[in-house]
Amino acid sequence: MYRFKNLTRFTTRVTHHTRHFNTVAPAISSLGPTKKPDKPRIVVLGSGWAGCRLMKGIDTSIYDVVCVSPRNHMVFTPLLASTCVGTLEFRSVAEPIGRIQPAISHEPGSFFFLANCKRLDAKNHEVHCQTITEGVQTLEPWDFKISYDKLVIASGAEASSFGIKGVKEHAIFLREVHHAQEIRRKLLLNLMLSDVPGVSDEEKRRLLHCVVVGGGPTGVEFSGELSDFIMRDVRQRYTHVQDYIHVTLIEANDILSSFDDRLRVYATTQLTKSGVRLVHGTVKDVQPKKIVLSDGTDVPYGLLVWSTGVGPSSFIRDLDLPKAPGGRIGVDEWLRVPSAPDIFAIGDCSGYLESTGKQTLPALAQVAEREGKYLAALLNKIGKEGGGYANGGSGMELGAPFVYKHLGSMATVGSYKALVDLRQSKETKGLSISGFTSWFIWRSAYLTRVVSWRNRFYVAINWLTTFVFGRDISRI
């Protein structure tokens, strides 16, 4: 009973019809303000790298933690491309929030809500949310409010389409597990349909043409995984179509632009050897069965994966908070939103204000993770010194500001080859290696970075199973 003492009870009314089942959503409810001796409440918007690392580091003897997110898990994004072709199972890259921060599962004042934040009321220290309800015979979404003492906005970013017509309708992004599932189903469906009698050679080539737009690490890694899948599995099990299936990677500039020049040349050579066609060009229009480049070239496709970077989501753009260059939420050196007391922003949705004199950090997992770790320690310090409640901690000495040190970049290009660039920036010198050794380092590094021992075991077993028996090609 104590667990729900701040929640008004939900009420439902169910109406039966002859052909379907209707429901009426509960009335507006709320999680009210905290009062001593209750613990102060931290509300975290988002369950990505930044938000999950923050929740993992929060001292739950000081704070209650409430997470609001449209997904109840964290995605280990560096390995997401591997799930599209069956190298890894989907659950191997998904870590439940309750396992990252156990207090959400058993502490009376901590919760996880499957919902989207729709509005922020900074004056009254409230966030207005709406539940996510999907599927047949389910409730209509309903609104509710949550009062916070400290708010951490870690809602990430969304894939950029650059306003190109048809991208959102016809392309698939690669940022969530359901995106990887959709890519896998579409790929295997096209593979099987192309083998059915009556399909012309031209249509077969279109169905089996996989186009990847964007030559960053995600696009390159997916292209490498896809070429491996084609060479090692498709050509053995679908011999009738082996001469038709191919991969094209389209990039406006150079692939892997943040990597060392020598590594970029190596990646280009390796991808070409693996059968990936590299095209320099800009997409002008996306149609249901083809894309049109700026030079007028038509590129037919059966599967289109869009991986051209990220930008602020509509939720972030609509917030009445100061913005950093690029439209992110503006923060100071301690990751605070200066004009909004008790609000912090971390991860891809935040950037330094121009007044700080610092450049906005790249949208990388390691940036988000380090910001989450730093802010957890800072909030623990504030809480221990009695500033955890709303409007508390003003004038408190916060200590050293956040400083980011780049640890390097890695990317696999298929065929047991990878790139490791350990330079701190493009302008500095440092170790950069490629080949099988880099591939071994890439796998070892990511295996150790997987959040739980459970998922590390899953990943290791999946890799071993794929190596011995090949990839699973079942369409489920």
Side-chain angles (χ1 to χ4, degrees):
M1 293 299 293
Y2 176 73
R3 182 175 178 84
F4 297 99
K5 67 180 184 178
N6 289 322
L7 285 172
T8 59
R9 289 189 177 274
F10 289 157
T11 59
T12 60
R13 176 168 58 86
V14 180
T15 306
H16 294 275
H17 292 269
T18 57
R19 294 181 62 90
H20 62 277
F21 181 87
N22 282 344
T23 58
V24 176
I28 294 178
S29 303
S30 65
L31 195 60
T34 59
K35 297 179 181 179
K36 294 181 180 180
D38 291 344
K39 290 182 285 189
R41 180 186 301 133
I42 292 179
V43 174
V44 182
L45 304 182
S47 57
W49 283 86
C52 286
R53 185 59 185 86
L54 171 94
M55 288 187 284
K56 182 179 180 180
I58 285 294
D59 187 344
T60 53
S61 67
I62 301 174
Y63 294 101
D64 285 329
V65 179
V66 175
C67 178
V68 178
S69 175
R71 67 184 190 199
N72 71 339
H73 58 273
M74 170 193 166
V75 180
F76 193 81
T77 48
L79 296 178
L80 189 58
S82 298
T83 65
C84 299
V85 295
T87 305
L88 294 177
E89 293 298 323
F90 298 111
R91 291 190 182 276
S92 300
V93 300
E95 194 69 45
I97 301 301
R99 190 171 284 119
I100 293 172
Q101 177 46 267
I104 284 176
S105 301
H106 59 76
E107 287 292 325
S110 295
F111 302 91
F112 170 81
F113 296 130
L114 190 71
N116 280 315
C117 180
K118 294 297 184 180
R119 188 168 69 86
L120 167 62
D121 184 351
K123 181 179 179 180
N124 294 314
H125 279 58
E126 289 180 341
V127 287
H128 295 241
C129 306
Q130 186 178 75
T131 59
I132 293 177
T133 56
E134 298 175 343
V136 181
Q137 298 184 358
T138 188
L139 292 172
E140 291 295 323
W142 67 90
D143 298 329
F144 62 97
K145 297 184 292 184
I146 305 173
S147 297
Y148 64 84
D149 293 295
K150 307 296 180 192
L151 175 67
V152 179
I153 304 174
S155 55
E158 63 181 23
S160 296
S161 63
F162 302 102
I164 299 172
K165 181 182 176 182
V167 172
K168 293 183 178 179
E169 292 80 7
H170 307 302
I172 306 175
F173 303 107
L174 185 52
R175 294 182 54 79
E176 303 285 351
V177 171
H178 67 84
H179 292 150
Q181 291 171 327
E182 186 178 357
I183 289 171
R184 178 172 172 79
R185 288 179 60 82
K186 185 73 176 289
L187 175 64
L188 293 176
L189 176 63
N190 289 351
L191 195 59
M192 289 180 281
L193 287 179
S194 66
D195 211 17
V196 175
V199 178
S200 66
D201 284 354
E202 182 181 4
E203 179 66 3
K204 188 176 293 189
R205 286 191 177 88
R206 184 193 69 80
L207 283 171
L208 296 178
H209 188 198
C210 305
V211 176
V212 182
V213 179
T218 301
V220 168
E221 289 191 334
F222 176 70
S223 299
E225 288 280 357
L226 198 52
S227 66
D228 268 3
F229 176 60
I230 292 169
M231 294 176 67
R232 301 176 189 278
D233 299 275
V234 172
R235 290 183 176 174
Q236 292 180 11
R237 305 179 197 185
Y238 287 89
T239 56
H240 302 96
V241 300
Q242 62 179 358
D243 295 329
Y244 296 90
I245 187 167
H246 56 288
V247 182
T248 296
L249 175 61
I250 300 176
E251 169 57 44
N253 302 303
D254 294 324
I255 65 168
L256 300 174
S257 57
S258 63
F259 281 68
D260 179 77
D261 291 343
R262 184 180 63 84
L263 295 183
R264 294 209 312 269
V265 172
Y266 178 87
T268 300
T269 303
Q270 189 60 44
L271 287 171
T272 303
K273 283 182 179 179
S274 300
V276 179
R277 179 183 171 219
L278 300 178
V279 174
H280 288 279
T282 304
V283 178
K284 184 176 69 174
D285 186 27
V286 177
Q287 299 177 15
K289 295 184 179 182
K290 68 177 183 180
I291 61 175
V292 182
L293 303 183
S294 56
D295 62 1
T297 304
D298 290 345
V299 182
Y301 68 86
L303 171 67
L304 177 61
V305 177
W306 195 269
S307 177
T308 58
V310 297
S313 65
S314 57
F315 168 68
I316 296 299
R317 291 195 299 269
D318 292 343
L319 286 178
D320 186 19
L321 295 175
K323 297 297 193 296
R328 299 184 183 188
I329 298 173
V331 296
D332 63 12
E333 296 93 330
W334 291 272
L335 308 180
R336 301 175 298 180
V337 180
S339 61
D342 298 321
I343 298 180
F344 303 79
I346 54 177
D348 296 352
C349 68
S350 68
Y352 287 122
L353 290 164
E354 287 186 291
S355 58
T356 64
K358 294 187 174 185
Q359 289 187 336
T360 296
L361 296 172
L364 298 174
Q366 61 176 294
V367 174
E369 185 181 35
R370 304 276 258 312
E371 288 181 340
K373 181 179 180 181
Y374 168 85
L375 186 56
L378 178 61
L379 289 172
N380 289 341
K381 178 180 183 296
I382 292 173
K384 288 176 182 177
E385 296 178 7
Y389 291 96
N391 299 310
S394 59
M396 186 179 293
E397 177 60 40
L398 299 180
F402 174 73
V403 177
Y404 172 69
K405 183 178 178 181
H406 188 60
L407 296 180
S409 303
M410 296 185 292
T412 178
V413 291
S415 301
Y416 305 109
K417 304 291 193 304
L419 317 172
V420 175
D421 189 349
L422 298 181
R423 299 174 305 155
Q424 291 188 19
S425 68
K426 293 181 66 175
E427 295 76 24
T428 60
K429 293 183 178 180
L431 180 65
S432 57
I433 57 177
S434 59
F436 177 78
T437 302
S438 298
W439 175 83
F440 183 79
I441 293 172
W442 175 84
R443 280 208 165 180
S444 301
Y446 282 144
L447 186 61
T448 60
R449 298 303 296 161
V450 172
V451 178
S452 68
W453 281 104
R454 166 185 171 272
N455 276 17
R456 289 174 196 169
F457 178 77
Y458 280 171
V459 169
I461 292 298
N462 286 168
W463 279 340
L464 179 61
T465 303
T466 299
F467 179 77
V468 175
F469 299 107
R471 295 170 179 83
D472 178 33
I473 57 172
S474 303
R475 185 175 182 269
I476 301 173

